Amino acid sequence: AVVSTQSTGSSGINAEYGKDSRGDEGLAKATVQITGENAMGMFHFEAGVHRVQRVPFNDTRIHTSTVVVTVIEKPPDIALEINPADVEISFTTATGPGAQIVNRRK
């Protein structure tokens, strides 16, 4: 479910906030899809570890934590057809004591 969508205005870059998961200490993981002309070129240098500093409303000390940012380009949609004659299905089981003969075909 999309939480919200924001546009940066004249630059044509849009941010769509998607899934997130919360842990014991707050936000554990979040997904943001950024679209627009040259979005990958603008954001690919943001990948890596960033330091986050904040001052909680009930404290006067600065809390420091880290966040890992991964920037991945969305692959283009492709049409893929698989001929059922090209598919081979085999089942293997583990027998005996192990080593090189663990996987035997039936």
Side-chain angles (χ1 to χ4, degrees), residues 80-101:
L80 180 65
E81 293 182 23
I82 299 175
N83 185 354
D86 295 338
V87 177
E88 179 183 320
I89 299 173
S90 62
F91 297 93
T92 60
T93 60
T95 59
Q100 287 81 13
I101 60 168

Side-chain angles (χ1 to χ4, degrees), residues 19 67-68 77 96 102 104:
K19 296 180 182 178
V67 62
V68 177
D77 293 332
V102 170
R104 293 230 170 149

Side-chain angles (χ1 to χ4, degrees), residues 30-45:
T31 303
V32 179
Q33 182 175 349
I34 299 173
T35 57
E37 187 175 342
N38 197 25
M40 185 66 184
M42 291 175 64
F43 289 97
H44 76 276
F45 288 116

Side-chain angles (χ1 to χ4, degrees), residues 19-103:
K19 296 180 182 178
D20 66 11
S21 61
R22 305 210 176 250
D24 294 338
E25 300 294 322
L27 189 63
K29 192 184 298 186
T31 303
V32 179
Q33 182 175 349
I34 299 173
T35 57
E37 187 175 342
N38 197 25
M40 185 66 184
M42 291 175 64
F43 289 97
H44 76 276
F45 288 116
E46 296 298 326
V49 179
H50 295 267
R51 185 175 72 175
V52 178
Q53 291 182 324
R54 63 185 180 83
V55 179
F57 66 91
N58 60 352
D59 200 351
T60 58
R61 296 176 294 169
I62 296 175
H63 291 222
T64 303
S65 58
T66 58
V67 62
V68 177
V69 175
T70 305
V71 179
I72 302 171
E73 189 169 10
K74 184 178 178 183
D77 293 332
I78 59 170
L80 180 65
E81 293 182 23
I82 299 175
N83 185 354
D86 295 338
V87 177
E88 179 183 320
I89 299 173
S90 62
F91 297 93
T92 60
T93 60
T95 59
Q100 287 81 13
I101 60 168
V102 170
N103 296 319

